[in-house]
Amino acid sequence: MSTQTAVLKKDITPEGSDYEIVRRAIEKISLDYRDQPSLEELAEEVGETPTGLQKLFTRWAGLSPKAFLQAVTLDHARKLLDSGMPLLETSFELGMSGPGRLHDLFVTHEAMSPGDYKTRGAGLTIRYGYHLSPFGTALIMATDRGLAGLAFSDPGEERAAFADMSSRWPNAIYVEDMAATGPYAARIFDPTLWRPDQPLHVVMIGTDFQVRVWEALLNIPMGKARTYSSIAASIGSPSASRAVGAANGANPLSFVVPCHRAIGKSGDLTGYHWGLTRKRAILGWEAGQVSS
């Protein structure tokens, strides 16, 4: 088992991180949505003025705090999602703005063979780097064949994120190389660079079943969601909802392979490997991209 640990060569934590403020506001919204917290209450929670929070939140998400609050009013959303209504249509019902041009990442992918996976990364060099993203610090991992891993962390949790990711392929050689991973970060988190003529190259390292689940996740458009049972049916294993959930949780390519778009049968958002608040943040951010 590899004992390598990440060494962060420089502090990349920004002063006054937008995401940190937004994260705290989303936590307040998520916990107290039944009470419909006002903009003033949210601003007090995060130490901002109401005007400052309104501008910051809207700049970050493309949605106002009020629109985001409407989107996480789960009593309503569960009923709509349970009836099969796509997440974007649910957003309309909850008062969010109408659609514009639909963005998507435009991913092309390949899978390593089962034999390659069984070696747990032996003979594989994985370059990694930490980069700022709309959802906190992103740990990006890449091979010479394409993006292999994307994880998220909050300040001070970078080493834990690296330990989590590197344990998946413990026999690989890890090289910190932000120059190599930087172009991936720019491509992934800037919607203006999501172009079909310049697809993002991804390599999937997992079991055959996991790869089939991850490929199914890639077919969920931005602004929509699928239940674990519908994903299981789509890969020809309708009774494998629990296994699909496990494969979803093991997805090493967060955000790019959109495991955050998988939901429970009742419309519940369920868990997320990198935190349920972050899952809500990603879904809200995507809703803003769709409606902008």
Side-chain angles (χ1 to χ4, degrees):
M1 180 71 69
S2 170
T3 58
Q4 299 177 88
T5 58
V7 178
L8 198 57
K9 293 179 180 177
K10 62 179 181 179
D11 183 8
I12 65 169
T13 305
E15 292 293 329
S17 167
D18 282 3
Y19 176 71
E20 176 59 22
I21 294 173
V22 168
R23 181 188 66 79
R24 290 165 56 201
I26 291 172
E27 283 184 341
K28 175 73 171 176
I29 290 170
S30 301
L31 292 172
D32 298 341
Y33 70 91
R34 294 181 191 278
D35 297 328
Q36 299 286 293
S38 66
L39 177 63
E40 288 73 20
E41 290 172 318
L42 292 173
E44 183 178 0
E45 178 74 16
V46 301
E48 280 280 341
T49 65
T51 300
L53 178 61
Q54 177 87 358
K55 290 181 178 179
L56 184 153
F57 201 103
T58 304
R59 181 176 71 246
W60 177 87
L63 298 171
S64 68
K66 180 179 180 180
F68 196 100
L69 173 61
Q70 291 171 325
V72 296
T73 303
L74 296 183
D75 280 347
H76 192 187
R78 283 175 180 156
K79 294 175 184 177
L80 296 172
L81 291 172
D82 193 41
S83 66
M85 183 176 288
L87 186 62
L88 179 56
E89 293 177 23
T90 301
S91 299
F92 298 156
E93 290 290 327
L94 294 172
M96 291 162 60
S97 54
R101 181 169 64 88
L102 181 65
H103 297 269
D104 219 333
L105 263 169
F106 301 111
V107 171
T108 181
H109 69 279
E110 63 173 303
M112 295 187 72
S113 70
D116 289 333
Y117 174 71
K118 287 179 181 178
T119 67
R120 310 295 301 280
L124 192 65
T125 297
I126 298 179
R127 300 185 181 279
Y128 71 92
Y130 298 92
H131 302 272
L132 299 179
S133 86
F135 317 110
T137 301
L139 169 60
I140 292 178
M141 293 181 160
T143 72
D144 58 3
R145 294 161 65 177
L147 181 74
L150 195 162
F152 293 108
S153 66
D154 293 321
E157 298 176 355
E158 294 88 357
R159 289 178 184 268
F162 179 86
D164 181 295
M165 294 295 287
S166 61
S167 67
R168 301 161 191 246
W169 316 297
N171 296 326
I173 297 171
Y174 292 90
V175 178
E176 185 172 6
D177 187 349
M178 290 181 64
T181 55
Y184 286 103
R187 167 69 174 74
I188 291 165
F189 299 113
D190 184 353
T192 65
L193 301 179
W194 297 356
R195 297 171 50 183
D197 60 330
Q198 295 181 4
L200 176 67
H201 297 286
V202 167
V203 58
M204 296 179 176
I205 309 173
T207 67
D208 177 66
F209 182 83
Q210 287 175 331
V211 169
R212 285 194 290 136
V213 172
W214 301 339
E215 288 174 335
L217 292 172
L218 282 173
N219 291 326
I220 306 174
M222 178 180 289
K224 295 189 178 181
R226 297 287 183 270
T227 63
Y228 297 109
S229 57
S230 69
I231 294 170
S234 75
I235 63 171
S237 302
S239 63
S241 295
R242 287 184 180 274
V244 165
N248 191 74
N251 169 33
L253 291 155
S254 299
F255 186 71
V256 171
V257 174
C259 52
H260 56 277
R261 297 178 195 160
I263 60 173
K265 189 174 182 179
S266 67
D268 196 331
L269 295 185
T270 67
Y272 184 61
H273 190 77
W274 306 108
L276 192 53
T277 295
R278 187 169 275 110
K279 181 173 184 172
R280 289 191 175 98
I282 293 173
L283 289 171
W285 185 87
E286 288 188 337
Q289 295 300 314
V290 169
S291 65
S292 66

